[in-house]
Amino acid sequence: MTAPWSQIILGELDDEVPPTRNMLAAIPDEHLSWQPHEKSWPLSHLAGHMANVLKWQVFVLQFPEFDLASAPPPDTESVGDSAATLAIFDDNVAALREALDAATDAQLEETWTLRHGENVLFSRARQAVIRSTGVRHLIHHRGQLSLYLRQLNVSVPSTYGPTADTPPPGHLRG
């Protein structure tokens, strides 16, 4: 028998939340206004967006759709220093875990829609939305953040394996 959708998604969160939190924790407060390019977000905005990506997923579970024309996206801007960013991220992770614990497969298989007025941007099963615009979206921005940190000469935490700053156990530098 296949595991319930909520357990599949929670397993994905178990894999992706710790390295994301470590990456957010590495952000130096003195560089929050830095941006790698004029077209890029400032570091504080990227961190704030990452802290709140999972908040969106709670809305996916609570409502059948979201209309960008009638309401602004929830909390996507800068949230403050590193400690504030981590606190918001932790709160949003906890809220999503709680919402997923209460969700049934039937709810997670229902269609959810993102629209802008009459223009439907997409309609998909809730479980697919949470996994794409939540978990994978978080992974995408974590990759961006790792490049920001590298360009700032900040030690980049490991994600799926060691980085140049975190050699594998037993590896000798020399």
Side-chain angles (χ1 to χ4, degrees), residues 24 46-57 59 74-79 85 88-89 92 138:
L24 289 169
L46 176 60
H49 182 67
M50 290 175 66
N52 284 298
V53 160
L54 298 180
K55 182 176 189 174
W56 273 80
Q57 310 322 303
F59 291 128
D75 305 324
T76 59
E77 305 268 332
S78 173
V79 294
T85 300
I88 290 168
F89 179 73
N92 288 329
L138 195 58

Side-chain angles (χ1 to χ4, degrees), residues 5 9 52-68 73-74 92 95-96 99-100 102-115 122-135 137:
W5 279 117
I9 298 168
N52 284 298
V53 160
L54 298 180
K55 182 176 189 174
W56 273 80
Q57 310 322 303
V58 176
F59 291 128
V60 170
L61 289 167
Q62 292 175 334
F63 306 104
E65 67 177 29
F66 191 86
D67 186 351
L68 294 166
N92 288 329
L96 180 56
L100 284 166
T104 65
D105 270 359
Q107 289 171 303
L108 287 163
E109 290 169 359
E110 289 173 353
T111 300
W112 186 84
T113 301
L114 180 65
R115 66 176 58 248
F122 65 81
S123 290
R124 290 187 210 132
R126 281 186 166 122
Q127 59 82 12
V129 173
I130 293 168
R131 295 170 82 203
S132 64
T133 67
V135 178
H137 192 95

Side-chain angles (χ1 to χ4, degrees), residues 21 51 81-93:
R21 190 179 196 290
D81 64 14
S82 183
T85 300
L86 288 172
I88 290 168
F89 179 73
D90 291 343
D91 288 348
N92 288 329
V93 169

